[in-house]
PDB file of all heavy atoms in Angstrom:
ATOM      1  N   TYR A 189      32.725   7.293  -5.875  1.00  0.00           N
ATOM      2  CA  TYR A 189      31.926   6.456  -4.980  1.00  0.00           C
ATOM      3  C   TYR A 189      31.524   7.237  -3.730  1.00  0.00           C
ATOM      4  O   TYR A 189      30.360   7.220  -3.314  1.00  0.00           O
ATOM      5  CB  TYR A 189      32.715   5.211  -4.590  1.00  0.00           C
ATOM      6  CG  TYR A 189      31.995   4.322  -3.609  1.00  0.00           C
ATOM      7  CD1 TYR A 189      31.098   3.354  -4.055  1.00  0.00           C
ATOM      8  CD2 TYR A 189      32.199   4.463  -2.233  1.00  0.00           C
ATOM      9  CE1 TYR A 189      30.425   2.542  -3.147  1.00  0.00           C
ATOM     10  CE2 TYR A 189      31.523   3.658  -1.319  1.00  0.00           C
ATOM     11  CZ  TYR A 189      30.641   2.697  -1.781  1.00  0.00           C
ATOM     12  OH  TYR A 189      29.971   1.907  -0.886  1.00  0.00           O
ATOM     13  N   THR A 190      32.505   7.952  -3.145  1.00  0.00           N
ATOM     14  CA  THR A 190      32.224   8.703  -1.922  1.00  0.00           C
ATOM     15  C   THR A 190      31.204   9.805  -2.175  1.00  0.00           C
ATOM     16  O   THR A 190      30.251   9.985  -1.399  1.00  0.00           O
ATOM     17  CB  THR A 190      33.527   9.314  -1.367  1.00  0.00           C
ATOM     18  OG1 THR A 190      34.459   8.268  -1.091  1.00  0.00           O
ATOM     19  CG2 THR A 190      33.254  10.110  -0.103  1.00  0.00           C
ATOM     20  N   PHE A 191      31.382  10.550  -3.278  1.00  0.00           N
ATOM     21  CA  PHE A 191      30.485  11.663  -3.574  1.00  0.00           C
ATOM     22  C   PHE A 191      29.046  11.188  -3.738  1.00  0.00           C
ATOM     23  O   PHE A 191      28.121  11.734  -3.118  1.00  0.00           O
ATOM     24  CB  PHE A 191      30.936  12.383  -4.842  1.00  0.00           C
ATOM     25  CG  PHE A 191      29.984  13.456  -5.303  1.00  0.00           C
ATOM     26  CD1 PHE A 191      29.979  14.708  -4.698  1.00  0.00           C
ATOM     27  CD2 PHE A 191      29.072  13.219  -6.331  1.00  0.00           C
ATOM     28  CE1 PHE A 191      29.097  15.700  -5.103  1.00  0.00           C
ATOM     29  CE2 PHE A 191      28.195  14.189  -6.743  1.00  0.00           C
ATOM     30  CZ  PHE A 191      28.198  15.443  -6.133  1.00  0.00           C
ATOM     31  N   PHE A 192      28.845  10.180  -4.567  1.00  0.00           N
ATOM     32  CA  PHE A 192      27.481   9.748  -4.845  1.00  0.00           C
ATOM     33  C   PHE A 192      26.850   8.997  -3.677  1.00  0.00           C
ATOM     34  O   PHE A 192      25.639   9.079  -3.458  1.00  0.00           O
ATOM     35  CB  PHE A 192      27.444   8.886  -6.111  1.00  0.00           C
ATOM     36  CG  PHE A 192      27.514   9.695  -7.372  1.00  0.00           C
ATOM     37  CD1 PHE A 192      28.688   9.790  -8.089  1.00  0.00           C
ATOM     38  CD2 PHE A 192      26.403  10.392  -7.836  1.00  0.00           C
ATOM     39  CE1 PHE A 192      28.759  10.552  -9.251  1.00  0.00           C
ATOM     40  CE2 PHE A 192      26.465  11.158  -8.989  1.00  0.00           C
ATOM     41  CZ  PHE A 192      27.640  11.242  -9.699  1.00  0.00           C
ATOM     42  N   THR A 193      27.658   8.281  -2.904  1.00  0.00           N
ATOM     43  CA  THR A 193      27.115   7.587  -1.739  1.00  0.00           C
ATOM     44  C   THR A 193      26.661   8.584  -0.687  1.00  0.00           C
ATOM     45  O   THR A 193      25.571   8.460  -0.116  1.00  0.00           O
ATOM     46  CB  THR A 193      28.166   6.633  -1.147  1.00  0.00           C
ATOM     47  OG1 THR A 193      28.540   5.662  -2.136  1.00  0.00           O
ATOM     48  CG2 THR A 193      27.601   5.904   0.060  1.00  0.00           C
ATOM     49  N   VAL A 194      27.496   9.601  -0.444  1.00  0.00           N
ATOM     50  CA  VAL A 194      27.116  10.643   0.517  1.00  0.00           C
ATOM     51  C   VAL A 194      25.896  11.409   0.010  1.00  0.00           C
ATOM     52  O   VAL A 194      24.988  11.749   0.781  1.00  0.00           O
ATOM     53  CB  VAL A 194      28.306  11.601   0.763  1.00  0.00           C
ATOM     54  CG1 VAL A 194      27.865  12.817   1.573  1.00  0.00           C
ATOM     55  CG2 VAL A 194      29.424  10.870   1.482  1.00  0.00           C
ATOM     56  N   SER A 195      25.851  11.673  -1.302  1.00  0.00           N
ATOM     57  CA  SER A 195      24.710  12.383  -1.876  1.00  0.00           C
ATOM     58  C   SER A 195      23.412  11.618  -1.650  1.00  0.00           C
ATOM     59  O   SER A 195      22.357  12.212  -1.382  1.00  0.00           O
ATOM     60  CB  SER A 195      24.913  12.585  -3.386  1.00  0.00           C
ATOM     61  OG  SER A 195      26.059  13.358  -3.630  1.00  0.00           O
ATOM     62  N   LYS A 196      23.494  10.294  -1.769  1.00  0.00           N
ATOM     63  CA  LYS A 196      22.303   9.458  -1.595  1.00  0.00           C
ATOM     64  C   LYS A 196      21.872   9.395  -0.133  1.00  0.00           C
ATOM     65  O   LYS A 196      20.677   9.468   0.176  1.00  0.00           O
ATOM     66  CB  LYS A 196      22.587   8.058  -2.117  1.00  0.00           C
ATOM     67  CG  LYS A 196      21.383   7.120  -2.076  1.00  0.00           C
ATOM     68  CD  LYS A 196      21.735   5.760  -2.663  1.00  0.00           C
ATOM     69  CE  LYS A 196      20.533   4.820  -2.637  1.00  0.00           C
ATOM     70  NZ  LYS A 196      20.878   3.481  -3.200  1.00  0.00           N
ATOM     71  N   LEU A 197      22.850   9.275   0.780  1.00  0.00           N
ATOM     72  CA  LEU A 197      22.535   9.123   2.197  1.00  0.00           C
ATOM     73  C   LEU A 197      22.253  10.447   2.893  1.00  0.00           C
ATOM     74  O   LEU A 197      21.411  10.517   3.797  1.00  0.00           O
ATOM     75  CB  LEU A 197      23.689   8.402   2.905  1.00  0.00           C
ATOM     76  CG  LEU A 197      23.991   6.976   2.425  1.00  0.00           C
ATOM     77  CD1 LEU A 197      25.214   6.424   3.137  1.00  0.00           C
ATOM     78  CD2 LEU A 197      22.785   6.061   2.656  1.00  0.00           C
ATOM     79  N   LEU A 198      22.961  11.504   2.467  1.00  0.00           N
ATOM     80  CA  LEU A 198      22.832  12.812   3.124  1.00  0.00           C
ATOM     81  C   LEU A 198      22.639  13.905   2.068  1.00  0.00           C
ATOM     82  O   LEU A 198      23.534  14.710   1.815  1.00  0.00           O
ATOM     83  CB  LEU A 198      24.066  13.103   3.971  1.00  0.00           C
ATOM     84  CG  LEU A 198      24.363  12.124   5.117  1.00  0.00           C
ATOM     85  CD1 LEU A 198      25.733  12.391   5.701  1.00  0.00           C
ATOM     86  CD2 LEU A 198      23.290  12.230   6.200  1.00  0.00           C
ATOM     87  N   PRO A 199      21.477  13.951   1.425  1.00  0.00           N
ATOM     88  CA  PRO A 199      21.265  14.957   0.374  1.00  0.00           C
ATOM     89  C   PRO A 199      21.366  16.391   0.866  1.00  0.00           C
ATOM     90  O   PRO A 199      21.616  17.300   0.079  1.00  0.00           O
ATOM     91  CB  PRO A 199      19.851  14.638  -0.124  1.00  0.00           C
ATOM     92  CG  PRO A 199      19.194  13.884   0.996  1.00  0.00           C
ATOM     93  CD  PRO A 199      20.294  13.093   1.637  1.00  0.00           C
ATOM     94  N   SER A 200      21.212  16.603   2.183  1.00  0.00           N
ATOM     95  CA  SER A 200      21.313  17.964   2.721  1.00  0.00           C
ATOM     96  C   SER A 200      22.706  18.541   2.491  1.00  0.00           C
ATOM     97  O   SER A 200      22.861  19.757   2.332  1.00  0.00           O
ATOM     98  CB  SER A 200      20.983  17.966   4.216  1.00  0.00           C
ATOM     99  OG  SER A 200      21.870  17.109   4.930  1.00  0.00           O
ATOM    100  N   ILE A 201      23.735  17.686   2.465  1.00  0.00           N
ATOM    101  CA  ILE A 201      25.095  18.167   2.219  1.00  0.00           C
ATOM    102  C   ILE A 201      25.218  18.721   0.805  1.00  0.00           C
ATOM    103  O   ILE A 201      25.853  19.754   0.573  1.00  0.00           O
ATOM    104  CB  ILE A 201      26.111  17.029   2.454  1.00  0.00           C
ATOM    105  CG1 ILE A 201      26.138  16.654   3.928  1.00  0.00           C
ATOM    106  CG2 ILE A 201      27.498  17.444   1.965  1.00  0.00           C
ATOM    107  CD1 ILE A 201      27.101  15.534   4.255  1.00  0.00           C
ATOM    108  N   ILE A 202      24.601  18.052  -0.155  1.00  0.00           N
ATOM    109  CA  ILE A 202      24.646  18.517  -1.533  1.00  0.00           C
ATOM    110  C   ILE A 202      23.890  19.828  -1.687  1.00  0.00           C
ATOM    111  O   ILE A 202      24.336  20.741  -2.392  1.00  0.00           O
ATOM    112  CB  ILE A 202      24.079  17.444  -2.479  1.00  0.00           C
ATOM    113  CG1 ILE A 202      24.854  16.136  -2.308  1.00  0.00           C
ATOM    114  CG2 ILE A 202      24.138  17.904  -3.926  1.00  0.00           C
ATOM    115  CD1 ILE A 202      26.348  16.253  -2.519  1.00  0.00           C
TER     116      ILE A 202
END
Side-chain angles (χ1 to χ4, degrees):
Y189 177 86
T190 301
F191 174 79
F192 282 102
T193 300
V194 171
S195 299
K196 184 178 181 181
L197 298 176
L198 299 170
S200 59
I201 293 180
I202 303 304

